[in-house]
Amino acid sequence: MMRTRPLKVALLGCGVVGSEVARIMTTHADDLAARIGAPVELAGVAVRRPSKVREGIDPALVTTDATALVKRGDIDVVVEVIGGIEPARTLITTAFEHGASVVSANKALLAQDGEALHAAAAAQGRDLYYEAAVAGAIPLIRPLRESLAGDKVNRVLGIVNGTTNFILDKMDSTGAGYQEALDEATALGYAEADPTADVEGFDAAAKAAILAGIAFHTRVRLDDVYREGMTEVTAADFASAKEMGCTIKLLAICERAADGRSVTARVHPAMIPLTHPLASVRGAYNAVFVEADAAGQLMFYGPGAGGSPTASAVLGDLVAVCRNRLGGATGPGDSAYTQLPVSPMGDVVTRYHISLDVADKPGVLAQVATVFAEHGVSIDTVRQSGKDGEASLVVVTHRAADAALTGVVDALRQLDTVRGVASIMRVEGE
């Protein structure tokens, strides 16, 4: 039997995502009520610019006083889509203190202060859900927290930023340079006016921190995630990748160590074989591989950003939280029982593709090979080409620790025959 008294929802933020959440709540009100077991009512919308016309939203619901809205005491669920650290953090903790559960899409805040927010929710017996914080519409957080709760996840590997994937895909498919591809992404609305958070990997690093913490049941903060941006990737890098049967993606990689005693989390450009499913992820789409003991390899794919996809994830959380509210229960909370340390990037073992500008004369290859050998890094393949006294030397290694490779590069730069290190890129997905 459906309860007639509605569950009241406060919406913090009414931009691209927030306005779509409000629209779906209104247009799908009957379906949502049937799925939840009670009507849901939009009880207030906190915004910065109240004078802006918001189609489909009663102006009487609009307020600039977000604090007063979350303190009302009759709010069942607060939906936070304003982003940033403050005032979002204070508003969320205040919502818990005044009896509301929270649905958030705030990856930066969760990556930085997820532990404190979970503790605040638990102290008040409230829910904190955040499916929309990672990979837009793609169901990923809930499968990790619930569907795979009985399994052991060993690796999470994926493309979690649509802007960077669009740019790299354009460079790969057309031969465009980085700036040209970025300009197109900006013109099409895929990239912000200031794309730093995307192209320098900050956005993906926040998502990696969240995913690693859930997958490995441990504390992983944003500062624990190794990060490299993709602004230095060139058309020449793509040409080299194609010669190897690879392409280049900006990847978020979270791994449990082979001995199970530590984890790593990192974001950086990498070459992946064209045979790997992630190589075929085009445009602004996201895709994430999860590798678990019993389940094996799982792939999650779909639109990773945008108003409608992100709102879909928010509404899915809203339904779950409302159902919990009606049942007098809470869903999965924080799980960090393993307390595994996060290893530094120097301990990460992978393959490397190194492109060197060298003098075109006898003995250069022997000198370079000696440097690799002295640092314990085994060479898989070497390709050399050049003329008129200058040459390009491409070395692909077997698996080696990042710290060892750093030693190799430092030593190579000391050789008189090495003019410069043109690029260094990791090779993943094999």
Side-chain angles (χ1 to χ4, degrees), residues 289-350:
F289 258 84
V290 176
E291 299 176 10
D293 274 0
Q297 291 188 337
L298 307 172
M299 182 174 174
F300 301 84
Y301 170 84
S308 294
T310 305
S312 172
V314 169
L315 268 295
D317 278 352
L318 179 63
V319 169
V321 169
C322 286
R323 286 171 174 169
N324 291 343
R325 191 86 170 184
L326 287 178
T330 55
D334 194 19
S335 176
Y337 69 90
T338 62
Q339 298 184 3
L340 297 173
V342 182
S343 296
M345 187 62 188
D347 292 347
V348 170
V349 176
T350 188

Side-chain angles (χ1 to χ4, degrees), residues 37-49:
V40 286
E41 173 187 309
L42 189 59
V45 182
V47 299
R48 284 183 295 179
R49 296 183 294 274

